[in-house]
Amino acid sequence: MRQAVVERKTNETNIKLHFSVDGEGETKLETGVPFLTHMLDLFTKHGQFNLIVDAKGDTDIDDHHTTEDIGICLGQALREALGDKKGIKRYGNAFVPMDEALAQVVVDLSNRPHFELKGDFPSSRVGTFDTELVHEFLWKLALEARMNLHVIVHYGQNTHHMIEAVFKALGRALDEATMIDPRVKGVPSTKGML
């Protein structure tokens, strides 16, 4: 089973996260950040992962620390669950439309972290959620998973739709990249390691 449990406790957050690469799209999410909960549910469903998050954070201040630390934990769990990455496809690419919005996510599970986000959200908030936290979450996810993560929001008018398309595409791109390909012998790199 490709899965991992990560715990992170700081003065700002207390998080326990369980992630399974080979799942059924099932979630049990207690984040304290409703919009992030919604996005993680979409990510998990479209990636066919399983995800349990029990997070308590200083959301009385704002959602920043909780969102960032869940991204850290998810990235660490993804990296641990994949182990040596033998037999995986490594790369994934997904386009997802959401009504008028179109997002693309491209990943490389390269062990070299890099993050790019191209696109502007029309609104600075969705409900009580600061849209700048999308960048924070995705950057920490890429850093801790040690992957290349490129996110392009090609267009859109509704900020909720645009972010939703990103998280669905993220799930689908990671699903493709983490798939076992029987043709791949060892790790998918001419270096002999990732």
Side-chain angles (χ1 to χ4, degrees):
M1 291 292 293
R2 298 186 296 169
Q3 59 185 338
V5 176
V6 172
E7 295 186 40
R8 177 179 173 85
K9 187 171 184 176
T10 72
N11 290 333
E12 299 162 342
T13 63
N14 186 355
I15 298 168
K16 184 171 183 180
L17 183 148
H18 182 278
F19 179 72
S20 297
V21 175
D22 306 302
E24 297 84 36
E26 296 178 358
T27 60
K28 184 176 178 184
L29 305 171
E30 296 291 337
T31 72
V33 182
F35 186 73
L36 180 62
T37 299
H38 179 38
M39 293 303 108
L40 290 173
D41 191 44
L42 296 168
F43 160 77
T44 305
K45 181 67 71 178
H46 286 269
Q48 289 298 301
F49 309 125
N50 286 346
L51 179 63
I52 300 170
V53 179
D54 183 10
K56 293 171 183 58
D58 56 358
T59 54
D60 56 313
I61 296 172
D62 68 9
D63 297 337
H64 184 103
H65 297 138
T66 303
T67 302
E68 177 182 32
D69 285 6
I70 291 172
I72 289 170
C73 291
L74 182 57
Q76 290 174 349
L78 175 60
R79 185 177 180 203
E80 184 180 331
L82 290 176
D84 61 14
K85 302 177 185 168
K86 286 183 179 173
I88 66 167
K89 287 192 169 186
R90 176 178 167 179
Y91 297 98
N93 177 39
F95 284 89
V96 170
M98 176 65 194
D99 294 349
E100 85 298 341
L102 179 65
Q104 179 184 13
V105 173
V106 185
V107 300
D108 175 8
L109 298 172
S110 62
N111 206 34
R112 293 187 311 275
H114 187 82
F115 175 59
E116 294 287 342
L117 173 60
K118 302 298 181 195
D120 296 312
F121 300 122
S123 301
S124 62
R125 294 173 89 71
V126 176
T128 60
F129 187 81
D130 290 323
T131 55
E132 68 181 12
L133 294 179
V134 173
H135 183 283
E136 196 67 30
F137 175 87
L138 294 172
W139 164 228
K140 293 307 175 355
L141 172 67
L143 184 64
E144 296 295 334
R146 297 192 57 81
M147 68 176 168
N148 265 228
L149 174 58
H150 293 252
V151 177
I152 306 160
V153 181
H154 290 282
Y155 45 80
Q157 297 174 355
N158 182 291
T159 301
H160 186 132
H161 292 168
M162 295 163 79
I163 297 171
E164 184 166 327
V166 166
F167 275 82
K168 287 176 177 177
L170 176 65
R172 290 183 174 270
L174 277 173
D175 180 41
E176 181 181 352
T178 59
M179 280 184 186
I180 299 295
D181 185 338
R183 300 170 300 169
V184 176
K185 307 304 179 198
V187 296
S189 172
T190 55
K191 292 181 176 71
M193 65 175 290
L194 289 172

